[in-house]
């Protein structure tokens, strides 16, 4: 951290002589401001802290969900910068703290998820610009693979040469558990388990700070630390202080770092947002560590240059989702299984269940649904297929008074209809205007302004929707249990109000051009949502569309909706939504949200037609803006695309360009046979260079990519951290393109497989690749088939293999390396200890080259597969092969198809097979083998215990040879596949094989 200095005696005496608590606070603030948070410590006594002074059972130790402690209640083994009370007093404070935070159910069995966070390098465009739902949907609920940092090291240096972070930001979508994380940290800190380098933690929430218009730094400290205590002070070694600012997204005024005047006076009262800005900048309390939690979009208010460390809370794993449901249904395993099965059946909902708050909401709603089916004995009651249907079931549960008692079914929904409508109407108006203004926390004055009856907030319905929490200013703050509930209630209000409103409901003053009729207001809402660049109205519009669904109307009819209300507008609303799909350059998230809205409306014809075209391979004919948007939607949601998005033979450059933002999140992407040229690679390179990019595998085979396109891809590999497989087969990148990719491999640390087959890279290109392998230690598969590579290129690759320790597969087939290249590679095999698969098919290798390769195999201990098909290996070379097989214990696959072995060579190999204890696959197809060699192989099979596959196709072994092999099958118990097609086998041979099969119990494939 920054250099720390010892306080002067004058400063210590000034704090020592302070008489009243207020003066001591001022002295404390002065010390913090002038000396960077230097801490004071005193063993003397202190007055009791006001643990029970707050109403509704709350105290400064903890309020509602935020549940923050009074900094007076600290463990006795931690030093503090305030006057320390007697040990017994501190112990009582700690007991009170732990009794409040420790009993929180959210800190129970799932707290291990918060034991570590993901260390990220900054905010992505998706996080900055899109709704939280969109972030989870686009990434398919899979968080970035990032380094994990344990909670107990969250504020420590990452290495011995680095310093602790001053400003740390932890991000997470709504409901992911940011506040739970803070409470978990505070609890662990109070127990002395984490944050031992902090002598004091000052937790604050922005909903607390929202109650102030202006505040000074010393009053900020006093608000969270009202009684500094009495007694003597003593000068101690300075320790660190942590200021926690939880919920930046709930700050009523956005932080504007560019327009805020600097303030260094801790006594000066300024606007709260200006105060926080100056603290983050370090103008006030420069030595205090600051920890901010926020939703990703709001975290972008803090300039990246001021953030020393950014972390992200990961979502639930599949096991944790199940554990979350077990907390909801602890004693009903049958119901638990039904709910979990239904969750997994709806992929879109299951993705969102990685968010804990949403998972609990879904669990409660589905649990109520299954209880209802059981109560009315209606097994045909439809299960929710859309988001709006799910929330309708949640509301039915709330109307039945089941917010707390999850296991009972109440018949009172109809009786409560009138009161529920009134409450949802007033709460909906509050929710809607809050959504428009980006306001998610409400206070009593807000409630009164929108006509919310505070007395009715204790109802069962409200307890399922709202959470009431006390602030440090002793006023109540309200927020919806989850952001999506605010959006649903807002949509309910808009849906009902639009039938009588004559002005634009989005206009705060209520004055606008007249707008009459539901459809007019629906069109206005759709336009507003598509124009909101941050996507904050996306889910609101989904709910508004879903309320037009017949199934939702049936679920809520008589309670919150009128029977059949607005149902005649459903088709027209679908037309309005589809009319928003304009031919923009790129398909944006707003356009994809229109498809989600159509799904909520149960108008799925567009998406279904594109999905069917994908399955039939006829996408090329669907190029309209609506079809492009539907394709982008399916790339996010379809099960087909989740495994691999196959867009081969169907994309033009313009269509690809419009889909670029969505391709970022495809894990596996096939773009083969699309006639893509170099300009398209510039576009794809921009995608691969994006911080958001999740593409792991991309195939671009059989396009028209030249060296310029390869250079564009190479530039992206310099910064890309997701791509592991790149397939460029059958293009024309040439030596220059290969050089660009090789230069990128010297820096890239993620690519593990690269195919440059049929790209005319020649010796110059392979020389560049070999040079890259000298430093690259991640590439494990390199395919260089059909590239006009000669002995010179093979020599360069062999030299690289002597040093490289990562390459496992080298595909060199269909080149012209000859005996010289084979001999060079053989020398490398004597040294290399990583290569497992070597493909030298069709390389004009004769007996000379094979003999040297086999000498290398005698000492090599890693090669398991060797392909020597279509070379010029005669009986002499076969004898060298046989000698190697007698000594080698690692080779498992040997392919000698289409050589010149004849009977002599095959007999030599057969003898070796009888002794070998590692070979599992032997291919001798088309080698002029006759009955004599077949008899030798039959004898070998009676001895061998490892061979599972033998290929003797296109060899004239005849009936005698077949009979010999059949005789071996009666004894052999390991062979599972035998290939004898076109082997001149007649009736006698076939009969012998049949008799063998009657005895043999292991052979699975006989192809004769």
């Amino acid at each position: 951290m920054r250099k720390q200095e010892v306080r002067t005696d004058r400063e210590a005496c000034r704090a020592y002589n302070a008489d009243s608590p207020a003066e001591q606070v001022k002295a404390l603030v002065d010390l913090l401001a002038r000396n960077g948070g230097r801490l004071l410590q005193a063993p003397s006594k202190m007055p009791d802290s006001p643990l029970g002074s707050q109403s509704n059972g709350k105290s400064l130790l903890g309020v509602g969900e935020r549940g923050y402690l009074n900094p007076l209640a600290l463990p006795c083994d931690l030093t503090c910068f305030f006057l320390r009370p007697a040990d017994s007093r501190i112990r009582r404070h700690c007991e009170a703290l732990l009794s409040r935070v420790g009993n929180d159910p959210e800190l129970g069995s799932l707290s291990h998820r918060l034991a570590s966070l993901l260390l990220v390098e900054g905010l992505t465009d998706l996080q900055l610009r899109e709704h939280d739902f969109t972030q989870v949907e686009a990434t398919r609920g899979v968080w970035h693979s990032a380094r994990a940092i344990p909670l107990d090291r969250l504020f420590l240096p990452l290495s011995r040469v680095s310093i602790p972070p001053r400003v740390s930001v932890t991000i997470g979508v709504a409901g992911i558990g940011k506040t739970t994380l803070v409470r978990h940290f505070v609890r662990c800190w109070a127990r002395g388990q984490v944050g031992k380098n902090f002598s004091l933690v000052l937790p604050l929430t922005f909903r607390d700070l929202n109650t102030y218009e202006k505040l000074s730094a010393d009053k900020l400290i006093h608000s969270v630390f009202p009684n500094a205590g009495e007694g003597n002070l003593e000068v101690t070694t300075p320790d660190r202080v942590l200021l926690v600012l939880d919920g930046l997204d709930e700050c009523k005024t956005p932080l504007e770092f560019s327009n805020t005047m600097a303030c260094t006076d801790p006594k000066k009262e300024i606007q709260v947002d200006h105060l926080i800005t100056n603290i983050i900048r370090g103008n006030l309390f420069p030595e205090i560590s600051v920890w901010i939690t926020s939703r990703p979009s709001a975290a972008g208010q803090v300039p990246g240059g001021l953030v020393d460390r950014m972390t992200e809370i990961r979502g639930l794993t599949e096991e944790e989702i199940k554990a979350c449901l077990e907390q909801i249904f602890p004693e009903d395993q049958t119901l638990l299984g039904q709910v979990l099965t239904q969750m997994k059946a709806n992929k879109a909902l299951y993705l969102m269940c990685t968010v804990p708050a949403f998972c609990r909401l879904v669990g409660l709603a589905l649990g109520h649904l299954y209880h209802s089916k059981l109560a009315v004995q209606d097994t045909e009651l439809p299960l929710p297929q859309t988001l709006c249907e799910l929330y309708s079931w949640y509301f039915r549960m709330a109307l039945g008074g089941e917010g707390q008692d999850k296991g009972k079914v109440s018949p009172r929904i109809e009786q409560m209809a009138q009161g529920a409508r009134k409450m949802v109407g007033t709460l909906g108006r509050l929710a809607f205007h809050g959504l428009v203004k980006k306001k998610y926390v409400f206070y009593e004055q807000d409630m009164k302004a929108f006509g919310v009856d505070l007395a009715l907030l204790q109802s069962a319905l409200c307890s399922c929707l709202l959470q009431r929490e006390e602030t440090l200013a002793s006023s109540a703050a309200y927020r919806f249990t989850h952001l999506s509930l605010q959006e649903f209630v807002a949509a309910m209000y808009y849906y009902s109000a639009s039938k009588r409103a004559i002005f634009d409901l989005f206009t705060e003053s209520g004055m606008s051009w007249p707008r009459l009729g539901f459809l007019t207001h629906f069109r206005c809402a759709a336009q507003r949502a598509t124009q909101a660049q941050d996507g904050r109205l996306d889910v609101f519009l989904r709910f508004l569309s879903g309320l037009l669904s017949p199934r939702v109307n049936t679920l809520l009819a008589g309670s919150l909706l009128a029977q059949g209300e607005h149902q005649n507008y459903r088709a027209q609303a679908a037309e309005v939504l589809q009319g928003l799909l304009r031919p923009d350059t790129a398909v944006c998230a707003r356009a994809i949200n229109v498809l989600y809205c159509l799904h909520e409306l149960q108008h799925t014809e567009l998406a279904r037609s594109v999905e069917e075209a994908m399955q039939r391979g006829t996408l090329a004919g669907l190029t309209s803006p609506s079809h492009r948007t539907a394709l982008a939607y399916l790339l996010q949601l379809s099960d087909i695309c989740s495994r691999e998005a196959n867009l081969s033979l169907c994309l033009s450059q313009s269509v690809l360009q419009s889909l670029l933002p969505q391709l970022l999140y495809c894990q596996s992407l096939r773009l083969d046979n699309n006639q893509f040229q170099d300009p398209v690679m510039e576009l794809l390179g921009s995608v691969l260079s994006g911080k958001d990019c999740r593409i792991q595998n991309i195939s671009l085979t059989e396009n028209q990519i030249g060296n310029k396109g390869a250079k564009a891809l190479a530039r992206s590999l310099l910064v890309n951290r997701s791509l592991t497989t790149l397939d460029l087969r059958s293009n024309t990148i040439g030596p220059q393109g290969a050089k660009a990719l090789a230069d990128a491999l010297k820096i890239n640390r993620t690519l593990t497989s690269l195919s440059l087959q049929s790209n005319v890279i020649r010796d110059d290109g392979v020389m560049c690749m070999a040079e890259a392998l000298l430093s690259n230690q991640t590439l494990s598969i390199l395919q260089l088939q059909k590239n006009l590579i000669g002995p010179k290129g093979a020599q360069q690759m062999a030299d690289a293999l002597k040093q490289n320790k990562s390459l496992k597969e080298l595909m060199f087939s269909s080149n012209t390396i000859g005996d010289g290249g084979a001999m060079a590679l053989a020398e490398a095999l004597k040294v290399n200890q990583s290569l497992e698969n070597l493909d030298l098919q069709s390389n004009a290798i004769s007996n000379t080259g094979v003999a040297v390769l086999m000498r290398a195999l005698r000492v090599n201990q890693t090669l398991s597969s060797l392909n020597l098909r279509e070379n010029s290996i005669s009986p002499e070379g076969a004898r060298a092969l046989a000698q190697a097989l007698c000594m080698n214990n690692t080779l498992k696959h040997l392919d000698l198809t289409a050589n010149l072995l004849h009977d002599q060579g095959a007999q030599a190999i057969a003898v070796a097979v009888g002794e070998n204890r590692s070979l599992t696959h032997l291919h001798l197809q088309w080698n002029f083998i006759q009955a004599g060699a077949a008899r030798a192989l039959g004898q070998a099979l009676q001895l061998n215990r490892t061979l599972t596959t033998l290929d003797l196709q296109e060899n004239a072994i005849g009936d005698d040879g077949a009979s010999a092999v059949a005789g071996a099958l009666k004894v052999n118990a390991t062979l599972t596949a035998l290939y004898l097609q076109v082997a001149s086998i007649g009736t006698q041979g076939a009969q012998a094989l049949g008799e063998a099969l009657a005895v043999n119990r292991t052979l699975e494939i006989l192809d004769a």
Side-chain angles (χ1 to χ4, degrees):
M1 201 65 182
R2 295 162 177 78
K3 184 179 179 181
Q4 297 183 340
E5 303 172 355
V6 179
R7 288 187 300 277
T8 64
D9 291 339
R10 180 177 302 175
E11 290 171 320
C13 291
R14 190 169 142 205
Y16 181 91
N17 293 325
D19 294 327
S20 67
E23 290 174 346
Q24 288 174 353
V25 169
K26 291 180 179 179
L28 167 65
V29 172
D30 288 342
L31 289 175
L32 287 173
R34 298 180 185 179
N35 299 306
R38 305 298 189 254
L39 308 178
L40 304 178
Q41 188 178 37
S44 57
K45 64 181 181 179
M46 178 182 290
D48 292 343
S49 58
L51 297 180
S53 60
Q54 300 300 318
S55 62
N56 197 25
K58 307 292 182 180
S59 76
L60 295 176
L61 276 172
V63 180
E65 181 189 347
R66 294 290 177 183
Y68 292 135
L69 76 160
N70 184 333
L72 292 175
L74 295 172
C76 55
D77 59 335
L78 298 179
T79 58
C80 305
F81 71 16
F82 53 88
L83 297 176
R84 296 185 62 192
D87 288 348
S88 61
R89 188 72 53 82
I90 289 183
R91 282 196 295 270
R92 289 198 299 271
H93 291 331
C94 291
E95 290 169 0
L97 168 66
L98 294 174
S99 68
R100 294 173 184 275
V101 180
N103 292 331
D104 184 355
E106 291 188 15
L107 299 179
S109 61
L110 294 179
S111 61
H112 66 276
R113 181 178 67 93
L114 305 176
S116 64
L117 303 178
L118 300 178
L119 195 63
V120 295
E121 296 186 353
L123 296 167
T124 64
D125 290 341
L126 180 72
Q127 291 172 323
L128 285 170
R129 299 176 183 175
E130 303 301 340
H131 190 284
D132 295 30
F133 268 39
T134 304
Q135 294 176 36
V136 179
E137 290 164 345
T139 57
R140 295 181 177 273
V142 178
W143 268 250
H144 247 312
S145 55
R147 174 182 173 183
I149 181 170
L151 190 62
D152 59 355
R153 298 194 59 81
L154 186 57
F155 304 103
L156 297 179
L158 294 178
S159 65
R160 294 181 178 179
V161 296
S162 60
I163 61 175
R166 179 181 178 271
V167 177
S168 301
V169 176
T170 296
I171 59 172
V173 297
I176 199 71
K178 298 180 291 296
T179 295
T180 304
L181 170 68
V182 171
R183 298 185 66 187
H184 178 62
F185 177 86
V186 169
R187 181 181 68 169
C188 293
W189 172 75
R191 292 176 172 175
Q193 297 170 343
V194 300
K196 296 179 182 179
N197 54 323
F198 291 117
S199 60
L200 184 64
V201 173
L202 301 174
L204 277 169
T205 70
F206 277 94
R207 68 188 61 162
D208 289 328
L209 296 174
N210 287 343
T211 60
Y212 300 94
E213 292 298 330
K214 288 188 175 183
L215 200 61
S216 64
D218 60 351
K219 287 186 178 179
L220 175 71
I221 298 296
H222 196 276
S223 68
V224 70
F225 188 24
N227 295 306
E230 300 174 356
N232 296 327
L233 299 173
E234 65 179 9
V235 178
T236 64
T237 303
D239 289 310
R240 292 175 63 198
V241 179
L242 176 65
L243 176 64
V244 183
L245 300 173
D246 184 29
L248 175 58
D249 49 285
E250 296 176 348
C251 184
K252 66 179 181 180
T253 307
L255 304 183
E256 295 185 6
F257 284 80
S258 59
N259 298 324
T260 301
M261 296 290 294
C263 176
T264 57
D265 183 0
K267 297 181 178 61
K268 183 178 180 181
E269 288 196 355
I270 55 178
Q271 290 180 209
V272 172
D273 56 311
H274 292 180
L275 174 64
I276 299 302
T277 300
N278 276 283
I279 290 176
I280 294 174
R281 279 195 179 279
N283 297 328
L284 293 168
F285 307 151
E287 293 297 326
I288 279 186
S289 297
V290 181
W291 182 23
I292 303 167
T293 67
S294 175
R295 288 168 56 199
S297 56
Q301 299 176 41
V302 183
L306 297 179
V307 179
D308 301 312
R309 181 170 299 171
M310 181 169 286
T311 53
E312 184 174 7
I313 305 176
R314 68 168 177 83
L316 298 178
T317 62
E318 187 169 342
E319 294 76 14
E320 290 167 344
I321 290 175
K322 183 177 180 181
C324 182
L325 295 178
E326 287 173 347
Q327 290 183 346
I328 301 174
F329 313 110
E331 299 177 356
D332 194 337
Q333 291 300 310
T334 301
L335 183 58
L336 169 65
Q338 290 175 325
V339 170
L340 188 58
T341 300
Q342 174 59 19
M343 277 184 175
K344 292 182 177 181
N346 191 320
K347 187 173 182 61
L349 293 181
Y350 193 60
L351 288 179
M352 291 305 305
C353 286
T354 57
V355 179
F358 188 85
C359 184
R360 288 190 289 271
L361 189 150
V362 173
L364 289 170
L366 292 179
H368 175 68
L369 183 153
Y370 281 106
H371 276 308
S372 298
K373 292 179 70 173
L374 184 62
V376 299
Q377 297 181 348
D378 183 3
T379 57
E380 301 300 323
L381 198 63
L383 296 171
Q385 298 298 318
T386 67
L387 199 64
C388 199
E389 289 177 28
L390 180 74
Y391 278 66
S392 298
W393 274 108
Y394 184 81
F395 261 72
R396 284 173 64 107
M397 179 200 73
L399 289 170
E402 295 182 29
Q404 304 300 324
D405 193 355
K406 309 176 187 70
K408 297 181 180 178
V409 178
S410 173
R412 298 180 300 154
I413 293 179
E414 296 295 336
Q415 299 174 11
M416 300 175 60
Q418 191 63 34
R421 281 195 179 207
K422 179 180 179 182
M423 177 54 65
V424 171
T426 54
L427 280 182
R429 184 165 171 258
L430 175 79
F432 173 71
H433 287 282
L435 201 60
V436 172
K437 298 177 183 178
K438 300 183 184 180
K439 186 171 183 176
Y440 310 107
V441 180
F442 308 95
Y443 300 89
E444 290 187 359
Q445 59 268 31
D446 300 314
M447 297 291 189
K448 294 177 181 177
F450 284 94
V452 178
D453 187 348
L454 298 179
L456 294 178
L457 294 180
Q458 306 302 319
S459 67
L461 173 61
C462 288
S463 67
C464 289
L465 302 181
L466 289 177
Q467 287 187 347
R468 181 183 188 275
E469 300 168 4
E470 297 289 339
T471 67
L472 290 176
S474 299
S475 60
Y478 300 87
R479 67 179 183 85
F480 286 86
T481 307
H482 188 250
L483 172 63
S484 57
L485 280 174
Q486 179 176 349
E487 292 164 323
F488 184 78
V489 175
M492 292 280 296
Y493 160 75
Y494 194 91
Y495 183 88
S496 299
S498 60
K499 62 185 177 184
R500 60 180 180 274
I502 59 174
F503 296 110
D504 185 0
L505 291 170
F506 282 89
T507 304
E508 184 176 1
S509 64
M511 298 300 294
S512 66
W513 289 105
R515 298 182 185 274
L516 299 176
F518 172 80
L519 197 62
T520 302
H521 286 284
F522 182 86
R523 182 180 291 106
C524 176
Q527 292 171 346
R528 293 270 188 168
T530 54
Q531 291 168 1
Q533 296 300 314
D534 56 3
R536 70 180 184 277
L537 297 177
D538 280 2
V539 177
F540 162 78
L541 184 60
R542 292 189 201 180
F543 284 133
L544 183 61
S545 303
L547 290 172
L548 287 169
S549 162
R551 290 174 62 173
V552 171
N553 187 266
T554 301
L555 285 170
L556 298 180
S559 56
L560 299 178
L561 300 181
Q563 183 71 43
E565 187 178 34
H566 299 328
Q567 290 303 295
N568 55 324
Y569 291 117
R570 180 167 168 263
Q572 293 169 286
E575 291 180 6
V576 170
L577 291 170
Q578 292 187 32
L580 298 172
L581 302 177
R582 297 183 298 273
D584 294 329
T585 305
V587 178
C588 64
R590 304 290 79 72
I592 294 176
N593 191 63
V594 169
L595 268 293
Y596 279 101
C597 292
L598 289 172
H599 176 70
E600 293 289 334
L601 197 59
Q602 297 182 6
H603 189 90
T604 59
E605 290 81 0
L606 176 60
R608 191 165 58 248
S609 65
V610 174
E611 187 168 24
E612 290 172 354
M614 288 183 70
Q615 294 171 342
R616 295 193 304 266
T618 57
L619 268 178
L622 304 179
T623 58
S624 69
S626 58
H627 288 128
R628 297 182 187 185
T629 306
L631 179 56
Y633 166 77
L634 291 171
L635 287 176
Q636 278 190 14
L637 199 64
S638 171
D639 287 336
I640 298 174
C641 298
S642 66
R643 295 184 295 271
E644 180 181 73
N646 190 348
L647 301 178
S648 303
L649 287 167
C650 65
L651 295 187
S652 63
Q653 179 174 343
S654 61
V655 174
L656 176 73
Q657 188 170 359
S658 67
L659 293 174
L660 286 179
Q662 309 313 316
L663 297 182
L664 277 167
Y665 310 108
C666 295
Q667 293 188 12
S668 186
L669 191 59
R670 295 193 66 86
L671 299 173
D672 307 334
N673 292 284
N674 279 307
Q675 299 183 346
F676 288 157
Q677 297 180 351
D678 292 344
V680 179
M681 295 307 103
E682 294 284 351
L683 298 174
L684 278 177
S686 67
V687 172
L688 293 171
S689 301
K691 190 185 296 184
D692 293 11
C693 183
R694 303 291 182 96
I695 301 174
Q696 296 179 9
N697 308 306
I698 186 168
S699 177
L700 292 162
T701 67
E702 299 185 55
N703 281 289
Q704 299 173 14
I705 305 169
N707 67 81
K708 291 183 179 179
K711 290 176 181 178
L713 293 173
R715 286 192 295 271
S716 69
L717 290 179
L718 295 175
V719 295
N720 179 277
R721 295 188 178 183
S722 66
L723 195 68
T724 60
T725 301
L726 175 60
D727 192 346
L728 292 171
R729 283 178 295 152
S730 302
N731 285 286
T732 55
I733 69 170
Q736 290 301 313
K739 180 181 185 304
L741 290 168
D743 290 340
L745 287 177
K746 296 175 183 178
I747 297 175
N748 182 280
R749 292 294 178 267
T750 58
L751 197 70
T752 60
S753 177
L754 175 62
S755 177
L756 299 180
Q757 176 181 339
S758 302
N759 267 284
V760 203
I761 68 171
R762 304 180 186 274
D763 284 345
D764 290 343
V766 80
M767 288 170 62
C768 295
M769 282 290 159
E771 183 181 348
L773 289 179
L774 295 175
S775 56
N776 182 286
Q777 295 299 321
T778 55
L779 195 71
S780 60
I781 300 174
L782 180 59
Q783 298 182 0
L784 299 174
Q785 306 98 309
K786 298 182 181 179
N787 269 299
L788 304 180
I789 301 170
K792 185 178 179 182
Q795 179 67 58
Q796 294 293 328
M797 183 59 65
D799 292 341
L801 289 176
K802 293 177 182 179
Q803 299 184 41
N804 182 275
K805 297 180 180 179
S806 65
L807 199 67
K808 296 183 182 300
E809 294 186 22
L810 177 60
M811 316 304 275
F812 237 64
S813 65
S814 301
N815 286 293
T816 56
I817 68 171
D819 289 337
M823 294 168 67
L825 290 171
E827 293 302 313
L829 288 176
K830 294 179 181 179
V831 180
N832 182 279
Q833 296 300 317
S834 64
L835 199 67
E836 298 174 359
N837 187 349
L838 178 60
D839 182 355
L840 297 177
Q841 174 183 342
S842 188
N843 262 289
I845 300 173
S846 68
N847 294 331
T848 304
V850 168
V852 180
L853 279 171
M854 293 307 106
R855 284 197 292 271
L857 274 188
R858 297 178 185 181
V859 296
N860 181 279
Q861 297 297 314
T862 59
L863 198 70
S864 62
S865 179
L866 178 62
N867 185 358
L868 292 172
R869 293 170 63 109
E870 301 173 16
N871 282 289
S872 302
I873 305 172
S874 67
E876 180 184 349
R879 284 190 286 272
L881 273 163
Q883 293 174 5
L885 288 177
C886 290
M887 301 178 65
N888 182 279
N889 294 316
T890 58
L891 196 68
K892 295 181 178 180
H893 299 253
L894 178 61
D895 193 342
L896 297 173
T897 298
N899 277 282
L900 304 170
L901 300 184
H902 295 278
D903 258 20
Q904 290 180 329
Q907 287 174 359
I909 290 175
V911 172
V913 169
E915 299 180 17
N916 183 275
R917 294 295 179 267
S918 63
L919 202 66
T920 59
H921 293 68
L922 178 60
H923 296 270
L924 298 174
Q925 178 183 354
W926 195 16
N927 262 291
F928 306 101
I929 296 173
Q930 296 181 353
R935 284 192 291 270
L937 286 167
Q939 294 173 1
L941 287 176
Q942 295 183 40
L943 301 173
N944 185 279
R945 295 294 180 268
T946 59
L947 200 67
T948 60
T949 299
L950 177 61
D951 186 355
L952 293 175
Q953 296 180 92
E954 300 184 84
N955 287 294
I957 66 172
D959 287 339
D960 290 345
S963 297
V965 173
L969 290 179
K970 295 178 180 180
V971 179
N972 183 282
T974 56
L975 201 69
T976 59
L978 177 61
Y979 298 93
L980 296 174
Q981 276 197 356
V982 195
S984 302
I985 300 174
T987 305
Q988 182 182 349
Q991 184 177 355
L993 288 169
E995 293 173 356
L997 290 178
V999 178
N1000 184 282
R1001 292 293 180 266
T1002 58
L1003 197 68
E1004 299 173 358
I1005 299 174
L1006 176 58
D1007 192 358

